[in-house]
Amino acid sequence: MAELLSFTVPAGSDKTLFVWELSPGPGPESLQHSLFTVFSKFGLLYSVRVFPNAPGATPGFYAIIKFYSARDACSAQKACDQKQLFQNSPVKVRLCTRRKMHQYPIHPLNSFKCQELANYYLGFSGWSKRIITLQKLSDFKVKENTSPTKSSARQSLKYFCALEVVLPAYSCRSPGAGIAEEYVEQLEGPLEFLLKRKKTQKLAIQKALSDAFQKLLMVVLESGKVAVEYRSTEERDSATEEFKDLIQVNDVSWNQAYRGEEECLSDFSLEEE
């Protein structure tokens, strides 16, 4: 059976494992490393998070482990449940199920996670990016204080990037666009200006790369072979056609994106076999 994988934060409960009865001896960082080492053998992991047991409960830790693939998560659960793994006592591993039935929003992966996922399934040489343009947009002044005695201004440093992700083996090209903005204080020197310009350019490229990957869908077969589909819609085409229409470019801050990646643990229950 084929499995569909997109370049978005894995939200399916069938991709999330709940691991408990972890020994209190090792610290959380050591446990996180050990869990990652064990479970990454079954497939690419999105995250491994370790938490102390609730006050009043047995001393120790539990963990939430999230895979990109539901198939990998299921294999890991069956192989690791009631096993000692890296400690003297066995651990319990269960797949999670959603308690709430409402729809959860889909959040795009950041550029680093997109590259990690592409490298895992397509290979390091299976894809590349080509920057088409990295353009500085018009500057403008923003007043910070209207007081006559403390009047100051800062300059907006904004860059637009257009690129494409190229997958030669699949004869596929996916365009992406992104905008990043930083502010330069009036009293900052030339070195600070150069550093912020480099930071803004890098962030624009990262946003464009993530945007390009969002249009790709991977189909992973049981044999391990991967097919890639470029998802083109009229809305996306009008937004990225020849990268001329900058009005449609999504300009969401990374802080907003990262907040969307956090899961609420109360929304999960355990799936008993």
Side-chain angles (χ1 to χ4, degrees), residues 147-212:
S147 172
T149 59
K150 298 182 179 180
S151 178
S152 62
R154 55 181 181 170
Q155 184 180 21
S156 169
L157 189 62
K158 183 181 291 187
Y159 276 87
F160 165 76
C161 178
L163 55 73
E164 63 179 7
V165 169
V166 182
L167 287 74
Y170 304 94
S171 301
C172 179
R173 295 174 180 267
S174 179
I179 290 179
E181 183 176 21
E182 276 285 340
Y183 290 100
V184 181
E185 303 297 334
Q186 195 174 33
L187 300 179
E188 289 182 334
L191 178 59
E192 289 80 3
F193 175 82
L194 291 176
L195 291 175
K196 285 194 174 181
R197 183 177 69 177
K198 183 177 180 180
K199 176 184 176 182
T200 309
Q201 291 174 339
K202 182 178 180 180
L203 185 56
I205 294 173
Q206 290 174 344
K207 289 187 176 184
L209 185 61
S210 177
D211 181 59

Side-chain angles (χ1 to χ4, degrees), residues 77 102 133 164 190 193 220 239:
Q77 189 276 324
H102 61 268
T133 182
E164 63 179 7
F193 175 82
V220 183

